[in-house]
């Protein structure tokens, strides 16, 4: 397993728990030492336990450098970062440098697996860089969500394995046999595209819901009821229908931009996808205009208390967090920000990060909930009402109980649950 980030470490620890012998490599010497001692620095439920079980059973090892990990491997997983490079394309520098390091030491007949999300055609490119006719390259994308990565790995909706050599694809699929999941065996390009097609579809679903939420506000409809009514249609499903401040994280933003690039490279214009991205940018601006409105029309000098900074609950990950994008826009208009997130310690540019939710809302002109941590539901709202300067709470995820807040004298503004005047709406649409 080359790379011990979210994907590599979860895959390594979970494969070890399925009974395989796994050697995980990283270039970060200090991290390797920490992992050997059983210290997992990623906030991922169940991962630390699996790592320690694997170490104790002797099925999981950590080494410095890819070459040492691959020497007697039957299967080599590439799990290194593929960040967004210039112009939105995935940057494959880390993949290429691993190939350069391991190509001469790979055992005869082993299989190389691309686990990182890579552009369509990368399996072929890795094969060309390897210059090893005896080593097939397989695409085996992951579908792990941060915060539930271990559960997702052990209970997958599907396993996708793509290779132009059937035997190699079957060898990789066999590693997951104990999970009993539906398995799609296909060619490498199709497997690579599954990952992008799935993540971009999820992003599109969320942008659609956020747009419907905006429409609900204008029409006086309630997005919670609208999405519930939509979701009972089994072709749509209830999940991924929760409006919010926009989608973020380490995958959806990167993968949507990358697919625009991939499509553009073959001359395919993809307006559905660019609109998905634009709608998401607009969603962040919409959140800011709501907070501005709550602050009385101007943000300069206003104190905004931010509840949540991570891109979603259950993680400490700030990568492409909509909360930070909103914070940046608020700062640009001169607001003063204090923020609290149960998972986030340390510095966030422009935000005074405090240790509890009450410290974040103290003296606030507007409180904005940006991440759906369960503990925010259980806050003592009468205490919040005493601490704030103005009683306005903008709930960008419809996460809080409006009645509970109202009982404490707070005004709750959600998303897509607007108090539009039905008569005005009727006049506008008829
Ligand atoms: C995603 C994919 O779900 C996963 O399959 C892939 O392998 C990696 O990318 P992740 O980035 O961990 O996982 O987050 P996810 O739970 O999918 O949420 C993505 C974003 O959408 C978050 O910002 C989240 O807050 C937002 N979201 C999700 C909503 O706004 N509403 C929803 O109903 C669901």
């Amino acid at each position: 397993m080359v790379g011990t980030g979210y994907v590599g470490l979860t895959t390594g620890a979970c494969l070890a728990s399925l009974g395989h012998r796994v050697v995980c490599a990283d270039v970060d010497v200090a991290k390797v030492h920490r992992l050997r001692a059983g210290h997992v620095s990623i906030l991922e439920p169940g991962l630390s336990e699996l790592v320690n079980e694997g170490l104790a059973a002797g099925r999981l090892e950590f080494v410095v450098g890819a070459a040492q990990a691959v020497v007697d491997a039957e299967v080599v997983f590439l799990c290194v970062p593929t960040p967004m490079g210039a112009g939105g394309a995935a940057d494959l520098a880390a993949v290429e440098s691993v190939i350069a390091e391991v190509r001469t030491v790979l055992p005869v007949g082993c299989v190389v697996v691309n686990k990182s999300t890579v552009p369509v055609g990368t399996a072929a490119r890795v094969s060309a860089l390897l210059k090893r006719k005896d080593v097939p390259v397989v695409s085996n994308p992951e579908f792990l969500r941060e915060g539930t990565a271990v559960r997702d790995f052990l209970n997958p909706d599907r396993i996708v394995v793509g290779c132009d050599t059937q035997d190699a694809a079957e060898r990789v699929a066999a590693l997951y046999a104990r999970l009993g999941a539906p398995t799609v065996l296909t060619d490498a390009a199709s497997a690579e595209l599954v990952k992008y097609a799935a993540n971009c579809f999820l992003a599109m679903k969320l942008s659609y819901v956020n747009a419907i939420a905006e429409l609900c506000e204008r029409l006086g409809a309630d997005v919670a009821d609208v999405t519930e009514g939509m979701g009972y249609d089994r072709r749509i499903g209830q999940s991924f229908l929760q409006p919010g401040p926009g989608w973020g994280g380490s995958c959806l933003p990167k993968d949507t931009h990358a697919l625009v690039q991939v499509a553009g490279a073959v001359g395919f214009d993809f307006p559905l996808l660019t609109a998905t991205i634009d709608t998401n940018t607009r969603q962040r601006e919409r959140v800011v205009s709501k907070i501005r409105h709550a602050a009385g029309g101007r943000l300069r000098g206003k104190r905004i208390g931010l509840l949540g900074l991570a891109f979603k609950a259950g993680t400490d990950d700030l990568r492409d967090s909509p909360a930070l994008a909103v914070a940046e826009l608020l700062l640009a208009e001169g607001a003063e920000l204090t923020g609290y997130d149960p998972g986030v310690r340390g510095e966030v540019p422009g935000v005074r990060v405090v240790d509890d939710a009450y410290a974040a809302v103290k003296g606030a002109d507007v409180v904005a909930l940006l991440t759906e941590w369960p503990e925010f539901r259980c806050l003592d709202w009468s205490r919040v009402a005493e601490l704030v300067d103005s009683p306005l709470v903008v709930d960008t995820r419809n996460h809080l109980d409006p009645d509970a807040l109202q009982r404490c004298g707070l005004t709750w503004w959600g998303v897509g649950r607007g108090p539009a005047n039905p008569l005005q709406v009727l006049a506008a649409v008829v």
Side-chain angles (χ1 to χ4, degrees), residues 142-146 206 240 242 248 251 311-312 397:
E142 51 79 21
F143 303 97
L144 309 175
R145 286 166 301 173
E146 285 182 26
L206 292 174
F240 260 69
Q242 185 67 32
C251 289
F311 82 97
K312 65 173 185 179
R397 296 198 185 244

Side-chain angles (χ1 to χ4, degrees), residues 81 217 285:
E217 278 174 26
E285 290 157 4

Side-chain angles (χ1 to χ4, degrees), residues 81-85 88-92 95 114-123 139 141-143 158 160 188-204 250-263 270 273 276:
T82 52
M84 201 189 307
D91 177 352
L92 296 181
V95 173
N114 273 336
K115 197 77 175 153
S116 315
T117 305
V118 289
V120 179
T122 303
S139 164
E142 51 79 21
F143 303 97
R158 76 303 209 183
V160 176
S190 304
E192 287 165 341
L193 191 53
V194 168
K195 176 63 190 277
Y196 284 112
N199 270 359
C200 293
F201 187 85
L202 293 173
M204 185 180 70
S250 65
C251 289
L252 301 194
K254 176 168 80 83
D255 294 352
T256 42
H257 283 97
L259 191 58
V260 169
Q261 284 288 319
V262 165
F270 204 156
L273 193 50
T276 296

